[in-house]
Amino acid sequence: MSTLEIIGLRAGITGKEIVRGIDLSVSSGEVHAIMGPNGAGKSTLSGVLMGKPGYEVLAGSATLDGVDLLALPAWQRAQAGLHLVMQYPTEVPGVRVHDVLAEALAAGGRDTGGLDDRIRAEAARIGFDERFLDRALNVDLSGGEKKRNETLQLAVLEPKIAILDELDSGLDIDALRACARRVEDLSNERAMGVLVITHYSRLLAELRPDHVHILVKGRIVASGGPELADELEEVGYAAYTAGDEVEPPAARSALDDLFAL
Ligand code: ADP
Ligand code: MG
């Protein structure tokens, strides 16, 4: 059982606080969704947790099974079991996905035997064309192909906790379904903990969250179950963006639906 524990996290870029006090705990096998409008700080939160350069941590902590993530360089956070699927995957000329995965597994003292077969099996599972496997990482791939490539890496590396920053952006509906199901399977079968960041609830139709959190202006302003995502689909973020900490609208009841008829 692993836990990513975020307590009172405040961070930003020099002179601007973007993540303004976040408390969140994600354990093995749980799926937490963070939803929020553009500019809410979702990507900043994921970058700060993974150790993307350029951010300043102002307060709070983030630990994975007690290991202080914020004190480590990004590669050691990965070795500790954290993995980030980036909103905009990086192109790495001259390096194939096989090279990346072989290095990552070996650095963690893990078995690289049969890696080629594992990569091919994962590619088939999410409909990622095998001919892309020999190309340099993400080079000359479409947005959707990059996201499939990222999902493939996640599935081979099997981190304890995965953060998915807008996995849905750039994916067509079939690819979205395939990738979301793959992540859902990893959560169910390998007990991977998932923090999935998205604007839209359509991703969550396949990757069912246990908990949904709404992030506005760097703070979680509401938390609930999957019904919160459905409600957002209906009412949008307007009810949450009026002030920093507003009361969420009352959840719709079966009675409301009856009177709406
Ligand atoms: P989201 O992913 O929720 O859309 P981001 O975390 O990307 O939001 O950005 C949150 C806010 O911080 C935005 O207003 C964005 O312009 C700003 N921001 C993020 N990174 C930087 C940066 N490196 N330099 C300046 N502003 C930034
Ligand atoms: Mg973002």
Side-chain angles (χ1 to χ4, degrees):
M1 170 81 169
S2 289
T3 302
L4 168 67
E5 186 83 51
I6 304 165
I7 300 173
L9 186 62
R10 292 176 174 268
I13 48 166
T14 309
K16 184 178 177 191
E17 189 174 330
I18 301 171
V19 169
R20 297 162 63 222
I22 292 201
D23 296 287
L24 189 63
S25 172
V26 181
S27 290
S28 297
E30 293 179 352
V31 177
H32 289 251
I34 292 191
M35 305 184 73
N38 276 320
K42 303 183 299 296
S43 293
T44 302
L45 173 64
S46 61
V48 167
L49 291 173
M50 197 69 231
K52 184 178 169 190
Y55 297 116
E56 195 181 346
V57 174
L58 304 165
S61 65
T63 57
L64 176 51
D65 295 338
V67 173
D68 177 8
L69 294 173
L70 303 179
L72 301 176
W75 70 271
Q76 284 181 345
R77 298 183 199 202
Q79 294 299 340
L82 189 68
H83 185 99
L84 171 64
V85 170
M86 288 183 282
Q87 182 171 3
Y88 303 108
T90 310
E91 296 185 6
V92 190
V95 180
R96 295 175 313 142
V97 69
H98 181 284
D99 305 328
V100 172
L101 292 172
E103 288 292 335
L105 291 170
R110 294 163 66 189
D111 189 13
T112 55
L115 181 58
D116 247 329
D117 291 343
R118 286 181 65 194
I119 291 174
R120 280 176 208 290
E122 287 297 342
R125 201 160 164 175
I126 54 169
F128 186 59
D129 199 317
E130 278 202 10
R131 70 198 158 93
F132 298 139
L133 297 175
D134 293 325
R135 285 200 195 160
L137 194 72
N138 290 328
V139 174
D140 296 329
L141 296 188
S142 72
E145 288 156 2
K146 287 180 183 174
K147 292 299 175 90
R148 277 193 252 219
N149 203 0
E150 294 284 304
T151 306
L152 182 154
Q153 292 166 58
L154 174 72
V156 171
L157 291 174
E158 290 187 343
K160 292 176 184 161
I161 306 284
I163 305 171
L164 311 168
D165 190 3
E166 303 212 17
L167 178 67
D168 39 359
S169 69
L171 280 178
D172 62 46
I173 201 77
D174 294 327
L176 174 65
R177 194 169 291 139
C179 289
R181 281 200 184 143
R182 187 68 191 96
V183 178
E184 171 86 28
D185 289 346
L186 285 165
S187 143
N188 293 332
E189 294 162 13
R190 317 297 296 189
M192 185 175 79
V194 180
L195 183 59
V196 52
I197 293 171
T198 183
H199 298 283
Y200 302 112
S201 63
R202 60 178 189 165
L203 173 67
L204 307 179
E206 301 293 340
L207 177 57
R208 296 300 299 170
D210 305 295
H211 305 278
V212 174
H213 312 277
I214 301 178
L215 185 75
V216 175
K217 295 181 188 165
R219 292 196 177 111
I220 291 175
V221 296
S223 292
E227 73 287 348
L228 196 52
D230 299 335
E231 181 195 300
L232 273 179
E233 190 74 0
E234 274 182 46
V235 304
Y237 291 113
Y240 297 97
T241 51
D244 276 4
E245 263 124 348
V246 291
E247 280 295 307
R252 286 171 66 82
S253 67
L255 211 56
D256 291 330
D257 292 331
L258 200 64
F259 285 114
L261 287 176

